[in-house]
Amino acid sequence: MAAFIQKLFRSRKTPEVTQKPQKAALAEPVEQEDTRASLREEQLGTLEGSPSQSVLAELAIAGVTAEIRQTAAGRLTDESTLLDVQKLAKSRDKGVYQTVKSALRKRREEQARLDSISQTIATLIRSAQDQAKSDDTKLYEARLETLLRQWADVEGHATPEQTQAFLESVHRCKERLAALQSAAENEKREREQQLQRRETLDLLARTLRDLKAQPPETMPSLASLDALQKTQENRWLEATRDTSVDKQEQKSYETAMLDLRSYLSAVRRITQNRDTIIELGTQAEGENDVPVEQLAQAKALLAEVNWPESYPTPVLLEPLRKLIGRPKTTTAARGDENRQKDLVARLEADLKQLEEALEAKQLKESRQLFKTAQQHFRDLDQHHAKPYQARVQLLTGQLRELSDWQGFATEPKQIALCEQMEYLADQPMDPEAKAERIKDLQNEWRELGGSSDRSLWSRFKAASDKAYEPCKAYFSAKSGLKQANLEKRSAICEQLQSFLENTDWSSIDWKAAERIHQTARQEWKEAWPVEFRDNRAVQKRFDELLKKLEAPLDEERKKNEGFKQAIVEKAEALIDHESLQEAMNQAKALQGDWRAIGITRHREDRKLWQAFRKACDQIFARRDAERTEQQQASRAADTFAQTSLQKTSAISADNDEQDISAALSTLQTIDSSALSKGVRESVQHEKQRLNQILSSLGLQAKLASWQALVTTATSAEIENDSVPQHWPALAETSALRDPLELVIRAEILCGVPSPETDQQRRMEIQVRRLADGMGSTDNSNDLMQDLETLVANWCLGGVGKDANSELAERLNKALAKLNPA
């Protein structure tokens, strides 16, 4: 390449000038100038095309003008070519040299930048791989976020293989981070649960101590105790869910809760039977001997209340206890003792069966047996009931626990959930659908309140973990897509931020701004799924940017809604405007103004548009009403006109002139503007026909009177008063005195042939008429005027007096030719 360029450069050297004649020397500069211009045009044409690097190098060195050389040098991109041109131009063309030198410096700088980016990419990949293997978990998440921020700056320069290697390492880091976070959360949750359990036990113990120290005269609040029991049961249930509980801790809770339930149950029964207890207590104070029925009732009430022995007996129960201690007034004491022994035997059998049912966790049977045993226990007197009181209380707590943990057959349902989860683990399904189904089964498990059977919970947990294994791999692969969507959302925020910072709101295209708002929201929705935790900050920023964009948009919308409201009010004012045409024109103008208004809120715009449309419809409804009225008037006018046309259609030239004139007058009274087009044309045609008939009749009468006067003029002199008033003047204007010429002229005017003997004379007369400019008689008015002049001259000018009857007959025959009859 360099040798080729040097050869070209040497070819530009000027050869030695030989001595030539003076005339040739004068012509040489002109030829050189022409050659130079031609070469310049050729080189410029080459630059306008797509020259190769070698051609550009040639032009950079051998270009005719400095502009061509600079342009060619500026388009060089090949490094070796740039170096060759730099060497050749160093001592010959400083402009080209500096251009090429600058291009080489930029290339070196760009290459250095790319090398630095490549080194950074390799370093980031190694760092991500090292962090994925590292055991150092200190600031793990912060270091990972730093790597991701650094990668975002160079990701566009990475190859697909480098991107894949980095994302795989990041994926492993995120898995490890998720495991660390999960472990930390589990540890935190367990500490919180332990704290809740400890606080629950402390609260129960403190409450029981307070109840034991409470004076007998004071009854605790039933509502407060009930609320305390329920809240602490729920609190303990949540504090023991999905975690291991020490047996001693669980036993302490059950004992304390059993005492609280027994106390609460006794208070509730006292409250329910308060009136009866007071009444029996009053009777006990006023009577020495108490009937058996009252003793039995008092005994039953005390058994039903079943007040815990370790707590102070309320004052309200003391009269009942004293009442039971009195001797009976009947002789049935021995029979009652036998009955008590029988009840003890039954209670013993009931309690044994109840224990077996509770051991087998048969809730329904346990409830039935407990109800029977409780009834037998209440029937016992205090002496026989006391040995069984603690046992009954214990079984009561066990039954309540079974009812709490297995309400509505919880365990069979939990077993069924375990079986469903185990079946789900073995089924090939779409990961999204499978994860959703796992979540549903877990929610059902939670709704059942968990399980005190740790083996059952372990079985369900193991099945859940096994079922989720394929989903975990799927969601891990999906994390790359989530990261890409998160970056896309960040880019949307950057674009919105740039738009808000660089926008001149005083001259903005509001519709374009609204489209940007809509597009941003749409693209934001499309950039999904994303990691919820990572998206929080981006979502918050996006919401804030949208609010900043929506604020001026809403202001502009409200302003435009005000303009549209003003248009609506103007349109409503036009409804009653007197001039309908003006109202319609202004309504059309308002419609144009409406279209010219910018953005508005959709809902408000629909309301305003409906009001505006309603007003315009009412305006144009007036036009439609007037059109309807006009159509009705037109139909009425058409009916009247058609009736009149039917009557006049029978009139012809045979009718009297008076009848024809009357019919014509009738048609002339019809207002043609109210008629439809077809009927109006029919009326016009009928008027023309009647006018033609009247004209024809008038012409017939006129010609008949002329013929009579022509005949009379040949035999007698006609007085002026027997002819039309203007005839004397016509007769005086004519110098024609030859009757034959007059008749021939009339025959020419009427188109009647003259006799053979008068053909020569007729020819001469026609020639004179042509010479006088009277050869054309196309105008009927001129024809009648000329004929009338001839007839007036015949009758009053003395021409007819000198004529014979033959000429008079020829004249009348010519006039008869004009008769339309």
Side-chain angles (χ1 to χ4, degrees), residues 267-450:
V267 172
R268 182 180 291 110
R269 293 190 179 94
I270 290 175
T271 303
Q272 292 173 351
N273 299 284
R274 186 181 185 88
D275 296 336
T276 304
I277 293 173
I278 293 173
E279 181 180 356
L280 289 174
T282 302
Q283 294 177 0
E285 294 176 356
E287 297 178 5
N288 293 325
D289 296 330
V290 181
V292 175
E293 293 81 8
Q294 291 184 357
L295 286 173
Q297 188 179 6
K299 186 183 298 184
L301 278 174
L302 285 175
E304 182 180 357
V305 170
N306 193 19
W307 185 260
E309 293 292 334
S310 58
Y311 295 88
T313 303
V315 175
L316 195 64
L317 294 180
E318 286 301 329
L320 296 184
R321 290 180 180 272
K322 294 178 180 179
L323 182 64
I324 294 175
R326 291 185 179 182
K328 301 178 183 179
T329 59
T330 65
T331 59
R334 188 177 299 277
D336 185 65
E337 181 67 23
N338 294 333
R339 180 173 176 273
Q340 291 293 317
K341 291 181 180 180
D342 183 57
L343 289 173
V344 167
R346 293 182 186 180
L347 178 61
E348 186 68 34
D350 293 340
L351 294 178
K352 185 176 181 179
Q353 294 179 6
L354 177 58
E355 289 172 345
E356 294 175 354
L358 289 173
E359 184 68 23
K361 296 184 178 180
Q362 298 173 348
L363 181 62
K364 185 176 180 180
E365 291 80 357
S366 298
R367 285 176 173 170
Q368 293 175 350
L369 290 171
F370 177 77
K371 185 176 181 181
T372 303
Q374 191 177 38
Q375 184 63 41
H376 291 160
F377 180 75
R378 290 174 181 173
D379 292 341
L380 292 176
D381 56 24
Q382 186 175 5
H383 174 72
H384 293 87
K386 188 173 182 179
Y388 295 95
Q389 185 173 359
R391 186 177 177 185
V392 170
Q393 288 181 353
L394 179 62
L395 292 176
T396 302
Q398 293 178 359
L399 176 61
R400 185 175 288 108
E401 180 184 2
L402 180 62
S403 177
D404 291 341
W405 291 106
Q406 295 186 358
F408 304 100
T410 300
E411 185 175 3
K413 293 182 179 179
Q414 290 174 338
I415 294 174
L417 288 176
C418 291
E419 294 173 350
Q420 293 180 42
M421 188 67 79
E422 290 166 349
Y423 175 79
L424 183 64
D426 298 331
Q427 298 304 308
M429 293 176 62
D430 176 68
E432 296 275 1
K434 196 169 190 177
E436 189 67 27
R437 180 56 182 158
I438 292 172
K439 186 176 179 181
D440 292 341
L441 292 176
Q442 291 174 341
N443 288 335
E444 291 182 27
W445 180 275
R446 293 191 193 96
E447 290 173 359
L448 292 175

Side-chain angles (χ1 to χ4, degrees), residues 510-730:
W510 290 103
K511 291 186 178 179
E514 189 175 46
R515 285 195 297 272
I516 289 174
H517 178 267
Q518 294 171 351
T519 303
R521 291 175 63 88
Q522 182 63 31
E523 291 182 356
W524 185 270
K525 291 180 181 178
E526 292 173 355
W528 186 88
V530 293
E531 192 66 36
F532 177 75
R533 184 177 303 169
D534 298 338
N535 184 59
R536 288 177 181 171
V538 183
Q539 182 71 50
K540 182 178 179 181
R541 183 185 179 193
F542 179 71
D543 294 339
E544 292 174 351
L545 290 172
L546 275 189
K547 289 180 181 178
K548 292 181 180 179
L549 178 57
E550 288 170 352
L553 286 175
D554 288 340
E555 184 178 353
E556 179 67 16
R557 290 185 183 116
K558 292 178 181 178
K559 182 180 72 174
N560 292 334
E561 288 166 7
F563 293 153
K564 289 192 174 182
Q565 180 62 41
I567 290 178
V568 171
E569 293 173 356
K570 291 179 181 178
E572 291 174 345
L574 291 174
I575 295 175
D576 299 326
H577 191 69
E578 184 176 357
S579 174
L580 177 60
Q581 188 60 44
E582 290 181 3
M584 290 192 297
N585 292 338
Q586 293 183 30
K588 292 177 182 177
L590 289 177
Q591 289 174 353
D593 295 342
W594 183 281
R595 289 190 292 270
I597 295 176
I599 61 174
T600 54
R601 291 175 293 180
H602 179 71
R603 182 175 298 177
E604 298 298 325
D605 186 77
R606 292 304 305 168
K607 293 180 181 178
L608 291 171
W609 170 250
Q610 290 173 359
F612 179 58
R613 181 65 180 271
K614 180 179 179 181
C616 291
D617 289 344
Q618 291 179 351
I619 293 171
F620 290 102
R622 289 176 56 194
R623 179 196 62 185
D624 296 338
E626 289 189 1
R627 284 182 177 175
T628 302
E629 292 178 1
Q630 291 176 356
Q631 291 173 356
Q632 293 175 352
S634 177
R635 285 194 292 269
D638 287 349
T639 302
F640 178 74
Q642 289 171 350
T643 302
S644 301
L645 288 174
Q646 291 177 357
K647 294 179 180 179
T648 60
S649 61
I651 295 177
S652 63
D654 297 335
N655 292 85
D656 294 339
E657 183 177 355
Q658 185 177 0
D659 295 338
I660 298 173
S661 298
L664 183 61
S665 298
T666 301
L667 294 179
Q668 288 175 343
T669 59
I670 298 175
D671 184 8
S672 60
S673 63
L675 298 175
S676 61
K677 182 178 179 181
V679 177
R680 183 167 57 250
E681 291 177 352
S682 299
V683 171
Q684 292 295 336
H685 292 160
E686 185 64 16
K687 287 180 181 180
Q688 293 175 2
R689 187 181 73 85
L690 295 178
N691 282 323
Q692 289 175 356
I693 293 175
L694 289 175
S695 299
S696 178
L697 293 176
L699 181 58
Q700 290 178 18
K702 181 186 292 188
L703 292 176
S705 64
W706 287 2
Q707 290 172 339
L709 291 173
V710 167
T711 303
T712 303
T714 56
S715 58
E717 186 175 353
I718 298 177
E719 299 296 333
N720 291 342
D721 56 357
S722 61
V723 297
Q725 294 180 358
H726 62 282
W727 273 24
L730 290 177

Side-chain angles (χ1 to χ4, degrees), residues 58-318:
E58 176 186 351
L59 293 175
I61 297 300
V64 176
T65 64
E67 181 183 2
I68 292 175
R69 295 194 296 275
Q70 288 282 358
T71 303
R75 293 171 62 179
L76 289 171
T77 57
D78 183 66
E79 185 175 3
S80 60
T81 305
L82 285 168
L83 290 172
D84 292 337
V85 172
Q86 183 185 23
K87 292 178 181 178
L88 292 172
K90 185 174 182 180
S91 58
R92 294 179 176 86
D93 194 330
K94 292 184 178 180
V96 172
Y97 177 80
Q98 292 297 331
T99 300
V100 174
K101 182 179 179 181
S102 177
L104 287 170
R105 184 177 67 255
K106 292 180 179 178
R107 284 182 59 84
R108 287 193 292 270
E109 292 175 352
E110 179 64 16
Q111 186 61 43
R113 188 181 71 85
L114 293 176
D115 291 341
S116 176
I117 292 174
S118 178
Q119 183 65 30
T120 301
I121 291 174
T123 302
L124 290 174
I125 292 174
R126 286 195 302 272
S127 299
Q129 292 172 344
D130 293 341
Q131 183 163 343
K133 302 174 184 177
S134 175
D135 295 329
D136 183 10
T137 59
K138 186 177 182 181
L139 299 177
Y140 197 93
E141 184 175 6
R143 284 184 287 153
L144 179 59
E145 290 177 352
T146 302
L147 285 176
L148 291 174
R149 284 197 301 271
Q150 294 174 350
W151 177 261
D153 297 333
V154 299
E155 185 179 6
H157 301 278
T159 63
E161 293 77 13
Q162 290 174 328
T163 302
Q164 183 178 0
F166 180 83
L167 290 179
E168 287 176 352
S169 299
V170 169
H171 173 64
R172 292 195 296 272
C173 291
K174 288 186 175 181
E175 282 185 335
R176 189 169 184 188
L177 178 62
L180 292 173
Q181 292 174 343
S182 177
E185 290 175 357
N186 288 337
E187 184 179 356
K188 179 181 178 182
R189 178 177 55 81
E190 289 178 358
R191 287 199 302 270
E192 181 65 22
Q193 287 179 321
Q194 185 177 8
L195 177 62
Q196 293 295 326
R197 293 197 299 271
R198 186 163 57 250
E199 291 179 353
T200 299
L201 292 175
D202 292 341
L203 179 60
L204 289 175
R206 188 167 59 253
T207 302
L208 293 175
R209 285 197 304 270
D210 293 340
L211 292 175
K212 290 179 180 179
Q214 188 171 359
E217 296 81 9
T218 305
M219 284 290 291
S221 172
L222 178 61
S224 300
L225 288 176
D226 186 67
L228 177 66
Q229 177 205 351
K230 292 180 180 178
T231 55
Q232 296 311 306
E233 283 179 344
N234 293 332
R235 186 180 185 182
W236 184 266
L237 184 62
E238 291 297 328
T240 57
R241 177 172 293 165
D242 301 337
T243 188
S244 58
V245 182
D246 183 73
K247 292 183 178 179
Q248 184 60 38
E249 189 178 34
Q250 180 69 29
K251 184 176 181 181
S252 298
Y253 165 76
E254 292 176 355
T255 302
M257 185 55 71
L258 179 62
D259 289 346
L260 179 62
R261 289 169 181 164
S262 299
Y263 189 93
L264 177 62
S265 178
V267 172
R268 182 180 291 110
R269 293 190 179 94
I270 290 175
T271 303
Q272 292 173 351
N273 299 284
R274 186 181 185 88
D275 296 336
T276 304
I277 293 173
I278 293 173
E279 181 180 356
L280 289 174
T282 302
Q283 294 177 0
E285 294 176 356
E287 297 178 5
N288 293 325
D289 296 330
V290 181
V292 175
E293 293 81 8
Q294 291 184 357
L295 286 173
Q297 188 179 6
K299 186 183 298 184
L301 278 174
L302 285 175
E304 182 180 357
V305 170
N306 193 19
W307 185 260
E309 293 292 334
S310 58
Y311 295 88
T313 303
V315 175
L316 195 64
L317 294 180
E318 286 301 329

